[in-house]
Amino acid sequence: NTITFVGSVSLVIFHEWVAALLPGVPSRIDEESVGEEYYFQSVYSGAVTFCYMKKNELTFGSESVSTIAIIKYLTICYQSSH
């Protein structure tokens, strides 16, 4: 189960979205970075969720369809508020 957001968006902006949505993501990234990857594991279900981002593309994947639905909703809400 994955969801991908594609558009003319810088890596810094995608990172800002992810840092606002998920715990433990550093507030800043290396300015020379061409991509970032993060993994999370639910303490309740044990399901693994990943996030991969690069310029113009942000992808979330999870063993849990519910997690993907929540990420989609929160990402759209975050984009709408900024």
Side-chain angles (χ1 to χ4, degrees), residues 1-79:
N1 304 305
T2 62
I3 185 168
T4 301
F5 299 91
V6 178
S8 297
V9 182
S10 72
L11 178 59
V12 172
I13 296 299
F14 275 145
H15 185 269
E16 181 182 298
W17 293 354
V18 172
L21 295 173
L22 298 169
V25 175
S27 59
R28 295 179 171 247
I29 59 171
D30 184 352
E31 292 179 19
E32 297 177 13
S33 178
V34 294
E36 296 286 318
E37 197 167 340
Y38 299 100
Y39 292 87
F40 305 90
Q41 185 171 19
S42 169
V43 295
Y44 300 109
S45 68
V48 174
T49 300
F50 73 87
C51 171
Y52 176 73
M53 66 188 105
K54 61 182 181 180
K55 184 178 178 181
N56 302 326
E57 186 176 319
L58 172 61
T59 300
F60 292 98
S62 180
E63 299 168 324
S64 168
V65 175
S66 297
T67 298
I68 294 298
I70 292 166
I71 288 171
K72 178 181 178 182
Y73 174 77
L74 292 175
T75 302
I76 290 169
C77 288
Y78 183 79
Q79 290 172 352

